[in-house]
Amino acid sequence: MLLHLLNRAPSSSSVHQDVLRTMGEEDGLMLIEDGVFGAVSAQVQHFPGLEGRLFALREDLESRGLAGRCDSRVIIVDMDGFVALTEEVQRTVSWF
Amino acid sequence: MLLHLLNRAPSSSSVHQDVLRTMGEEDGLMLIEDGVFGAVSAQVQHFPGLEGRLFALREDLESRGLAGRCDSRVIIVDMDGFVALTEEVQRTVSWF
Amino acid sequence: MSEITEASHGDLLVMLRHAPHGGLWLREALDLALVGAAFGQSVSLLLMGDGVWALLQGQGSGPLGQKGSQSTFEMLEMYDIERLYVDVDSLAARGLTRDDLLLPVIEVSTPELSTVLAGHRQIFNF
Amino acid sequence: MSEITEASHGDLLVMLRHAPHGGLWLREALDLALVGAAFGQSVSLLLMGDGVWALLQGQGSGPLGQKGSQSTFEMLEMYDIERLYVDVDSLAARGLTRDDLLLPVIEVSTPELSTVLAGHRQIFNF
Amino acid sequence: MRYALLVLGGPYSHQAAHSALRFAHAAIARGHRVGTVFFYHDGVYNAAHFAAPPQDEPHLVDAWRELQRTQGTVLQVCVAAALRRGLLDAREAERHGKRGASLEPPFELTGLGQLLDIGQTHERLITFAP
Amino acid sequence: MRYALLVLGGPYSHQAAHSALRFAHAAIARGHRVGTVFFYHDGVYNAAHFAAPPQDEPHLVDAWRELQRTQGTVLQVCVAAALRRGLLDAREAERHGKRGASLEPPFELTGLGQLLDIGQTHERLITFAP
């Protein structure tokens, strides 16, 4: 099981497509930095089939004014929760 | 009349869509650096309607092994020709 | 629409295409616009692509306490930036409308974009 | 296909996703792979996205005479890099086939990508 | 657990360094150890001795130093990536005929082998990219 | 014509600086003058005094110096962008309590107003971005 980190918005970079093709069935995806723009309702369709394993970083949502715009299918975690996710998986893969 | 410069491949960045929406009817588009990946036949469909004003930089095509793969709709210019294009237009806009 | 054709004659157009907080593009672009205004130039901004996020209401200060872009945008009014253009297609693609934005803007449709660029003597695209 | 399932147990996987010549990602990623091999680790490469352009035949040296990636890839064979995986969907999207490439590769289909990653103890994604 | 961070983005230009620092502090708050931070690609610019950001912005180079001072975190900078980008310690500066240095302790120039070593000596390695 | 170039990308990490230099030489070969190169954003790293690339790679900092020496091209670096990224001339270094300097002539620290000035004093301004 891997945790993938993504820091690009799906509106400007196509790297999210490569992430999705690479993810295993149990892998999680954590949206950080500009990646959290993908968590808003108008953009989350770029991440289909990830119920229960699509996360977004609260601090990065809040600084961007997105806290109230995050789609309900996205699990919001704070930095402490991000660290907790990395405790559960042995390896993370960062995409940019 | 403007000359737009683009240094991103259409396969990884969506900035070319914003370039196309912004170009006036007489503006030219010059593909440089990683932008020249958009000049190969399998990618040039990303730049419709630019006959006679879509250019790619020879040096960047050659270093990437693309000289023989460039679509016939793309006008190949060398660095001297690139400078010549900037003589003809007053302003250039660089997209990245 | 007619507003764009007649009003778009300025010295300096700064295009903002990068999202706030993820990097320094937005800040360094706004710095240039402010300097232009301080030097007495007629300055316009055009927000496009992920740059439209820069005007979203409710932003906080960035990580580690660095300043957000909100205070800079509020300075724009003081410095008399003349026009604040926003690409409506970029807004719509992100589920935004002008009501979500911090400041009043001039909405620009795709066919009008080239007119905005053509109307300015100097263009910087960040 | 079976090759991927059984062979994909290595120490180090270096993923190359950036095109050659436009920047230093590819070079610095290959440097890491070469160091891994020199240290006796079992090293695999996975080319994906614009990274597949790195293996295109007929590349020249870069602008201002800096080295291309070709010489480094040829060193790979000397250093005994064990597996050179290429994402076939990335190839096809760019109009390329394995016949266009400098070196023999192991083609990986989308469903196999996660297997390749799972089979390596350490993954660097450039 | 023993964590290591790999930072690939320069300070200010990208959020990578900010995120890595916030992650480090959160990991420490959860009782982990951040043993090493390795700087590669443009991440080496985080070690710029002469960095002088405006006073109302965070001083990232100082924040890394503070992490080393309070947590004993080792700050390793890839020497090949640093040299071509103009970050030389006193020894390398002398070797290249320059006076002074643009990188100073606690940042240490080291080889890429150290980055691979981290994989063996730390239980987690998290990458922050530009 | 009188050209100016705006360089926004750091050396090596991106091709921007290479492209700008090649463009400069081609413009000169066509009889133009390259009056000014302005470095902004990560482009300021092109002025790194301590840059020490491998001998088989082009030395970009030296190539800019050579352009200044042979063509009289003015090399201007945005001071705000440079300071936060650790590029200080001797005067700024002293002001910030550091010894030495990480940026030296012919590169000059200057304000953003100079970049706007270029628009008035040069007939063409071409931007090379990362």
mmCIF file of all heavy atoms in Angstrom, chain E residues 40-70:
data_model
loop_
_atom_site.group_PDB
_atom_site.id
_atom_site.type_symbol
_atom_site.label_atom_id
_atom_site.label_comp_id
_atom_site.label_asym_id
_atom_site.label_seq_id
_atom_site.Cartn_x
_atom_site.Cartn_y
_atom_site.Cartn_z
ATOM 1 N N TYR E 40 17.990 18.388 -2.594
ATOM 2 C CA TYR E 40 18.442 18.012 -3.938
ATOM 3 C C TYR E 40 17.723 18.904 -4.950
ATOM 4 O O TYR E 40 16.760 19.585 -4.606
ATOM 5 C CB TYR E 40 18.133 16.527 -4.173
ATOM 6 C CG TYR E 40 18.798 15.900 -5.394
ATOM 7 C CD1 TYR E 40 20.089 16.238 -5.753
ATOM 8 C CD2 TYR E 40 18.143 14.929 -6.152
ATOM 9 C CE1 TYR E 40 20.705 15.653 -6.864
ATOM 10 C CE2 TYR E 40 18.751 14.335 -7.262
ATOM 11 C CZ TYR E 40 20.024 14.708 -7.607
ATOM 12 O OH TYR E 40 20.626 14.126 -8.697
ATOM 13 N N HIS E 41 18.191 18.860 -6.214
ATOM 14 C CA HIS E 41 17.627 19.721 -7.261
ATOM 15 C C HIS E 41 17.591 21.163 -6.711
ATOM 16 O O HIS E 41 18.488 21.561 -5.980
ATOM 17 C CB HIS E 41 16.239 19.203 -7.685
ATOM 18 C CG HIS E 41 15.746 19.781 -8.987
ATOM 19 N ND1 HIS E 41 16.175 19.346 -10.206
ATOM 20 C CD2 HIS E 41 14.841 20.755 -9.249
ATOM 21 C CE1 HIS E 41 15.582 20.034 -11.172
ATOM 22 N NE2 HIS E 41 14.768 20.894 -10.620
ATOM 23 N N ASP E 42 16.577 21.957 -7.025
ATOM 24 C CA ASP E 42 16.549 23.337 -6.531
ATOM 25 C C ASP E 42 16.393 23.418 -5.010
ATOM 26 O O ASP E 42 16.505 24.517 -4.439
ATOM 27 C CB ASP E 42 15.408 24.115 -7.180
ATOM 28 C CG ASP E 42 15.755 24.569 -8.592
ATOM 29 O OD1 ASP E 42 16.890 24.321 -9.042
ATOM 30 O OD2 ASP E 42 14.895 25.179 -9.243
ATOM 31 N N GLY E 43 16.135 22.302 -4.364
ATOM 32 C CA GLY E 43 16.058 22.300 -2.902
ATOM 33 C C GLY E 43 17.352 22.765 -2.251
ATOM 34 O O GLY E 43 17.343 23.272 -1.123
ATOM 35 N N VAL E 44 18.471 22.633 -2.971
ATOM 36 C CA VAL E 44 19.754 23.048 -2.389
ATOM 37 C C VAL E 44 19.766 24.547 -2.058
ATOM 38 O O VAL E 44 20.517 24.977 -1.180
ATOM 39 C CB VAL E 44 20.945 22.708 -3.317
ATOM 40 C CG1 VAL E 44 20.996 21.212 -3.599
ATOM 41 C CG2 VAL E 44 20.894 23.491 -4.620
ATOM 42 N N TYR E 45 18.931 25.326 -2.733
ATOM 43 C CA TYR E 45 18.888 26.765 -2.450
ATOM 44 C C TYR E 45 18.398 27.061 -1.031
ATOM 45 O O TYR E 45 18.557 28.174 -0.536
ATOM 46 C CB TYR E 45 17.990 27.482 -3.467
ATOM 47 C CG TYR E 45 18.562 27.591 -4.869
ATOM 48 C CD1 TYR E 45 17.834 27.155 -5.970
ATOM 49 C CD2 TYR E 45 19.812 28.158 -5.099
ATOM 50 C CE1 TYR E 45 18.330 27.279 -7.266
ATOM 51 C CE2 TYR E 45 20.319 28.277 -6.391
ATOM 52 C CZ TYR E 45 19.578 27.842 -7.467
ATOM 53 O OH TYR E 45 20.073 27.970 -8.743
ATOM 54 N N ASN E 46 17.782 26.093 -0.372
ATOM 55 C CA ASN E 46 17.391 26.278 1.027
ATOM 56 C C ASN E 46 18.585 26.511 1.952
ATOM 57 O O ASN E 46 18.417 26.967 3.068
ATOM 58 C CB ASN E 46 16.624 25.047 1.529
ATOM 59 C CG ASN E 46 15.177 25.065 1.118
ATOM 60 O OD1 ASN E 46 14.365 25.734 1.725
ATOM 61 N ND2 ASN E 46 14.853 24.323 0.050
ATOM 62 N N ALA E 47 19.775 26.144 1.473
ATOM 63 C CA ALA E 47 20.968 26.272 2.311
ATOM 64 C C ALA E 47 21.720 27.575 2.060
ATOM 65 O O ALA E 47 22.835 27.746 2.543
ATOM 66 C CB ALA E 47 21.885 25.079 2.055
ATOM 67 N N ALA E 48 21.097 28.513 1.323
ATOM 68 C CA ALA E 48 21.813 29.736 0.934
ATOM 69 C C ALA E 48 22.159 30.586 2.164
ATOM 70 O O ALA E 48 21.277 31.163 2.803
ATOM 71 C CB ALA E 48 20.970 30.546 -0.049
ATOM 72 N N HIS E 49 23.442 30.673 2.450
ATOM 73 C CA HIS E 49 23.890 31.404 3.633
ATOM 74 C C HIS E 49 23.481 32.872 3.598
ATOM 75 O O HIS E 49 23.216 33.486 4.626
ATOM 76 C CB HIS E 49 25.417 31.288 3.737
ATOM 77 C CG HIS E 49 26.005 32.118 4.838
ATOM 78 N ND1 HIS E 49 25.730 31.877 6.166
ATOM 79 C CD2 HIS E 49 26.831 33.195 4.804
ATOM 80 C CE1 HIS E 49 26.377 32.771 6.910
ATOM 81 N NE2 HIS E 49 27.047 33.582 6.105
ATOM 82 N N PHE E 50 23.440 33.455 2.403
ATOM 83 C CA PHE E 50 23.198 34.897 2.289
ATOM 84 C C PHE E 50 21.707 35.266 2.231
ATOM 85 O O PHE E 50 21.372 36.430 2.021
ATOM 86 C CB PHE E 50 23.913 35.452 1.053
ATOM 87 C CG PHE E 50 25.403 35.566 1.214
ATOM 88 C CD1 PHE E 50 26.242 34.526 0.841
ATOM 89 C CD2 PHE E 50 25.981 36.703 1.766
ATOM 90 C CE1 PHE E 50 27.621 34.624 0.996
ATOM 91 C CE2 PHE E 50 27.343 36.822 1.919
ATOM 92 C CZ PHE E 50 28.172 35.774 1.530
ATOM 93 N N ALA E 51 20.824 34.281 2.390
ATOM 94 C CA ALA E 51 19.389 34.573 2.276
ATOM 95 C C ALA E 51 18.983 35.692 3.234
ATOM 96 O O ALA E 51 19.309 35.659 4.417
ATOM 97 C CB ALA E 51 18.572 33.319 2.580
ATOM 98 N N ALA E 52 18.282 36.690 2.716
ATOM 99 C CA ALA E 52 17.863 37.842 3.518
ATOM 100 C C ALA E 52 16.439 38.227 3.143
ATOM 101 O O ALA E 52 16.201 39.257 2.518
ATOM 102 C CB ALA E 52 18.832 39.006 3.290
ATOM 103 N N PRO E 53 15.463 37.391 3.533
ATOM 104 C CA PRO E 53 14.073 37.692 3.178
ATOM 105 C C PRO E 53 13.563 38.898 3.944
ATOM 106 O O PRO E 53 14.129 39.260 4.992
ATOM 107 C CB PRO E 53 13.337 36.423 3.601
ATOM 108 C CG PRO E 53 14.174 35.833 4.681
ATOM 109 C CD PRO E 53 15.591 36.159 4.318
ATOM 110 N N PRO E 54 12.512 39.536 3.456
ATOM 111 C CA PRO E 54 11.904 40.650 4.186
ATOM 112 C C PRO E 54 11.530 40.208 5.607
ATOM 113 O O PRO E 54 11.210 39.037 5.831
ATOM 114 C CB PRO E 54 10.640 40.961 3.379
ATOM 115 C CG PRO E 54 10.854 40.358 2.041
ATOM 116 C CD PRO E 54 11.780 39.212 2.217
ATOM 117 N N GLN E 55 11.533 41.172 6.520
ATOM 118 C CA GLN E 55 11.325 40.804 7.927
ATOM 119 C C GLN E 55 9.931 40.273 8.218
ATOM 120 O O GLN E 55 9.738 39.612 9.241
ATOM 121 C CB GLN E 55 11.615 42.022 8.800
ATOM 122 C CG GLN E 55 13.071 42.452 8.699
ATOM 123 C CD GLN E 55 13.545 43.152 9.944
ATOM 124 O OE1 GLN E 55 12.750 43.720 10.680
ATOM 125 N NE2 GLN E 55 14.837 43.108 10.200
ATOM 126 N N ASP E 56 8.961 40.580 7.354
ATOM 127 C CA ASP E 56 7.617 40.062 7.622
ATOM 128 C C ASP E 56 7.364 38.733 6.907
ATOM 129 O O ASP E 56 6.235 38.264 6.844
ATOM 130 C CB ASP E 56 6.552 41.091 7.228
ATOM 131 C CG ASP E 56 6.682 41.525 5.773
ATOM 132 O OD1 ASP E 56 7.662 41.130 5.118
ATOM 133 O OD2 ASP E 56 5.798 42.244 5.300
ATOM 134 N N GLU E 57 8.427 38.137 6.362
ATOM 135 C CA GLU E 57 8.297 36.801 5.789
ATOM 136 C C GLU E 57 9.114 35.821 6.620
ATOM 137 O O GLU E 57 10.090 36.203 7.250
ATOM 138 C CB GLU E 57 8.815 36.795 4.336
ATOM 139 C CG GLU E 57 7.872 37.483 3.368
ATOM 140 C CD GLU E 57 8.371 37.409 1.917
ATOM 141 O OE1 GLU E 57 9.078 36.455 1.566
ATOM 142 O OE2 GLU E 57 8.036 38.328 1.155
ATOM 143 N N PRO E 58 8.733 34.547 6.637
ATOM 144 C CA PRO E 58 9.503 33.572 7.417
ATOM 145 C C PRO E 58 10.915 33.441 6.845
ATOM 146 O O PRO E 58 11.113 33.529 5.635
ATOM 147 C CB PRO E 58 8.719 32.271 7.219
ATOM 148 C CG PRO E 58 7.904 32.474 5.983
ATOM 149 C CD PRO E 58 7.593 33.929 5.920
ATOM 150 N N HIS E 59 11.890 33.256 7.708
ATOM 151 C CA HIS E 59 13.270 33.061 7.265
ATOM 152 C C HIS E 59 13.529 31.559 7.227
ATOM 153 O O HIS E 59 13.826 30.933 8.234
ATOM 154 C CB HIS E 59 14.227 33.757 8.224
ATOM 155 C CG HIS E 59 15.621 33.929 7.671
ATOM 156 N ND1 HIS E 59 16.333 32.884 7.129
ATOM 157 C CD2 HIS E 59 16.414 35.025 7.543
ATOM 158 C CE1 HIS E 59 17.518 33.328 6.723
ATOM 159 N NE2 HIS E 59 17.583 34.625 6.946
ATOM 160 N N LEU E 60 13.396 30.982 6.037
ATOM 161 C CA LEU E 60 13.433 29.520 5.930
ATOM 162 C C LEU E 60 14.798 28.943 6.275
ATOM 163 O O LEU E 60 14.887 27.879 6.883
ATOM 164 C CB LEU E 60 13.009 29.089 4.528
ATOM 165 C CG LEU E 60 11.530 29.345 4.221
ATOM 166 C CD1 LEU E 60 11.226 29.067 2.762
ATOM 167 C CD2 LEU E 60 10.645 28.479 5.107
ATOM 168 N N VAL E 61 15.873 29.630 5.872
ATOM 169 C CA VAL E 61 17.206 29.100 6.169
ATOM 170 C C VAL E 61 17.400 29.035 7.690
ATOM 171 O O VAL E 61 17.889 28.029 8.235
ATOM 172 C CB VAL E 61 18.305 29.954 5.494
ATOM 173 C CG1 VAL E 61 19.677 29.374 5.778
ATOM 174 C CG2 VAL E 61 18.061 30.039 3.985
ATOM 175 N N ASP E 62 16.969 30.068 8.373
ATOM 176 C CA ASP E 62 17.038 30.050 9.841
ATOM 177 C C ASP E 62 16.151 28.955 10.433
ATOM 178 O O ASP E 62 16.501 28.335 11.444
ATOM 179 C CB ASP E 62 16.597 31.410 10.408
ATOM 180 C CG ASP E 62 17.708 32.447 10.317
ATOM 181 O OD1 ASP E 62 18.854 32.068 9.939
ATOM 182 O OD2 ASP E 62 17.444 33.618 10.628
ATOM 183 N N ALA E 63 14.987 28.720 9.807
ATOM 184 C CA ALA E 63 14.087 27.684 10.329
ATOM 185 C C ALA E 63 14.733 26.301 10.226
ATOM 186 O O ALA E 63 14.575 25.463 11.127
ATOM 187 C CB ALA E 63 12.759 27.714 9.573
ATOM 188 N N TRP E 64 15.470 26.055 9.144
ATOM 189 C CA TRP E 64 16.191 24.777 9.033
ATOM 190 C C TRP E 64 17.267 24.678 10.090
ATOM 191 O O TRP E 64 17.453 23.634 10.719
ATOM 192 C CB TRP E 64 16.811 24.639 7.636
ATOM 193 C CG TRP E 64 15.828 24.444 6.529
ATOM 194 C CD1 TRP E 64 15.644 25.259 5.454
ATOM 195 C CD2 TRP E 64 14.884 23.371 6.378
ATOM 196 N NE1 TRP E 64 14.646 24.764 4.648
ATOM 197 C CE2 TRP E 64 14.157 23.602 5.178
ATOM 198 C CE3 TRP E 64 14.578 22.231 7.143
ATOM 199 C CZ2 TRP E 64 13.160 22.746 4.739
ATOM 200 C CZ3 TRP E 64 13.578 21.391 6.686
ATOM 201 C CH2 TRP E 64 12.884 21.640 5.504
ATOM 202 N N ARG E 65 18.023 25.785 10.291
ATOM 203 C CA ARG E 65 19.076 25.790 11.318
ATOM 204 C C ARG E 65 18.491 25.486 12.692
ATOM 205 O O ARG E 65 19.061 24.741 13.480
ATOM 206 C CB ARG E 65 19.751 27.169 11.355
ATOM 207 C CG ARG E 65 20.661 27.480 10.187
ATOM 208 C CD ARG E 65 21.450 28.768 10.491
ATOM 209 N NE ARG E 65 22.097 29.276 9.300
ATOM 210 C CZ ARG E 65 21.743 30.394 8.659
ATOM 211 N NH1 ARG E 65 20.766 31.155 9.122
ATOM 212 N NH2 ARG E 65 22.389 30.772 7.578
ATOM 213 N N GLU E 66 17.331 26.087 12.948
ATOM 214 C CA GLU E 66 16.666 25.890 14.240
ATOM 215 C C GLU E 66 16.277 24.419 14.431
ATOM 216 O O GLU E 66 16.389 23.867 15.530
ATOM 217 C CB GLU E 66 15.421 26.794 14.284
ATOM 218 C CG GLU E 66 14.647 26.787 15.574
ATOM 219 C CD GLU E 66 15.390 27.463 16.713
ATOM 220 O OE1 GLU E 66 16.451 28.081 16.462
ATOM 221 O OE2 GLU E 66 14.903 27.337 17.850
ATOM 222 N N LEU E 67 15.835 23.805 13.354
ATOM 223 C CA LEU E 67 15.474 22.385 13.422
ATOM 224 C C LEU E 67 16.697 21.548 13.777
ATOM 225 O O LEU E 67 16.616 20.613 14.587
ATOM 226 C CB LEU E 67 14.902 21.943 12.057
ATOM 227 C CG LEU E 67 14.227 20.574 11.989
ATOM 228 C CD1 LEU E 67 12.911 20.593 12.764
ATOM 229 C CD2 LEU E 67 13.964 20.174 10.532
ATOM 230 N N GLN E 68 17.827 21.911 13.194
ATOM 231 C CA GLN E 68 19.051 21.183 13.512
ATOM 232 C C GLN E 68 19.440 21.393 14.977
ATOM 233 O O GLN E 68 19.797 20.447 15.676
ATOM 234 C CB GLN E 68 20.183 21.650 12.574
ATOM 235 C CG GLN E 68 21.469 20.848 12.681
ATOM 236 C CD GLN E 68 22.359 21.329 13.836
ATOM 237 O OE1 GLN E 68 22.286 22.493 14.247
ATOM 238 N NE2 GLN E 68 23.151 20.417 14.382
ATOM 239 N N ARG E 69 19.340 22.646 15.448
ATOM 240 C CA ARG E 69 19.781 22.997 16.794
ATOM 241 C C ARG E 69 18.916 22.325 17.858
ATOM 242 O O ARG E 69 19.412 21.806 18.852
ATOM 243 C CB ARG E 69 19.716 24.528 16.959
ATOM 244 C CG ARG E 69 20.567 25.099 18.067
ATOM 245 C CD ARG E 69 20.403 26.606 18.150
ATOM 246 N NE ARG E 69 19.034 27.027 18.394
ATOM 247 C CZ ARG E 69 18.431 26.991 19.582
ATOM 248 N NH1 ARG E 69 19.077 26.577 20.640
ATOM 249 N NH2 ARG E 69 17.161 27.380 19.700
ATOM 250 N N THR E 70 17.605 22.328 17.656
ATOM 251 C CA THR E 70 16.706 21.821 18.698
ATOM 252 C C THR E 70 16.462 20.320 18.588
ATOM 253 O O THR E 70 16.183 19.670 19.587
ATOM 254 C CB THR E 70 15.341 22.538 18.634
ATOM 255 O OG1 THR E 70 14.764 22.327 17.334
ATOM 256 C CG2 THR E 70 15.505 24.037 18.867
#
